[in-house]
Amino acid sequence: MNRINRISSKIFAVLMVVAMLFSSVAVSVSAQGENNGSIVVSNVMGNAGEMVSIDVSLANNPGFTCMILNISYDMDALELISVSDSGLIPGKNHTPSYNSPYQLTWQNYTAESNFTDNGVIATLTFKIKDSAANGKYDIGVYYD
């Protein structure tokens, strides 16, 4: 019976490590004035060798015409495979190479009004490298 408890404990520990393998963070973005907006990055989990997709979204958008987001990640554990812009914001000019930090840029200097839509602005697909150690890998989002 004691051996079964030890095996169960080891299985539980392995499952907990796998469950914490991949996670991301939400980052608040402050806008000028009284309105504040948020950039939210979805939380996902996966195992070594798997693909995971991360949605980057706007919430409570106070309005803007240009935005630059820098997405940083651990290149030893994650490989950025693709970036899909949702088309929610016009004027995309994203970095062509998939290195960390990856830059998402939207520029529209001729816009007659600010863009105030909310929702998913881009989806980034990562491969968790086979060599990735069990643990948590944060995706950092920084803005200008």
Side-chain angles (χ1 to χ4, degrees):
M1 187 70 149
N2 193 18
R3 182 171 183 233
I4 292 173
N5 286 340
R6 284 185 296 188
I7 292 172
S8 295
S9 295
K10 287 180 182 181
I11 291 172
F12 179 75
V14 169
L15 290 174
M16 290 303 296
V17 169
V18 170
M20 296 183 336
L21 179 63
F22 191 78
S23 181
S24 62
V25 295
V27 177
S28 293
V29 177
S30 289
Q32 292 182 356
E34 294 181 11
N35 292 328
N36 290 322
S38 296
I39 295 177
V40 180
V41 181
S42 62
N43 291 311
V44 298
M45 289 189 297
N47 296 314
E50 291 182 346
M51 302 279 217
V52 292
S53 292
I54 308 291
D55 287 335
V56 179
S57 303
L58 288 174
N60 304 313
N61 182 357
F64 63 92
T65 57
C66 300
M67 179 171 58
I68 298 172
L69 296 178
N70 292 301
I71 313 291
S72 65
Y73 58 94
D74 185 342
M75 290 180 62
D76 291 333
L78 305 171
E79 178 183 0
L80 182 56
I81 300 296
S82 68
V83 176
S84 175
D85 189 277
S86 71
L88 186 69
I89 307 168
K92 94 173 172 179
N93 185 24
H94 304 328
T95 305
S97 62
Y98 292 160
N99 294 315
S100 181
Y102 180 78
Q103 193 170 79
L104 297 163
T105 304
W106 295 271
Q107 300 173 341
N108 192 335
Y109 296 110
T110 61
E112 294 181 15
S113 63
N114 287 340
F115 303 113
T116 57
D117 291 339
N118 292 298
V120 174
I121 55 177
T123 301
L124 289 77
T125 301
F126 291 91
K127 178 179 185 206
I128 303 171
K129 293 185 177 180
D130 291 331
S131 60
N134 288 336
K136 179 179 175 183
Y137 297 96
D138 290 335
I139 306 284
V141 179
Y142 307 94
Y143 65 93
D144 289 329

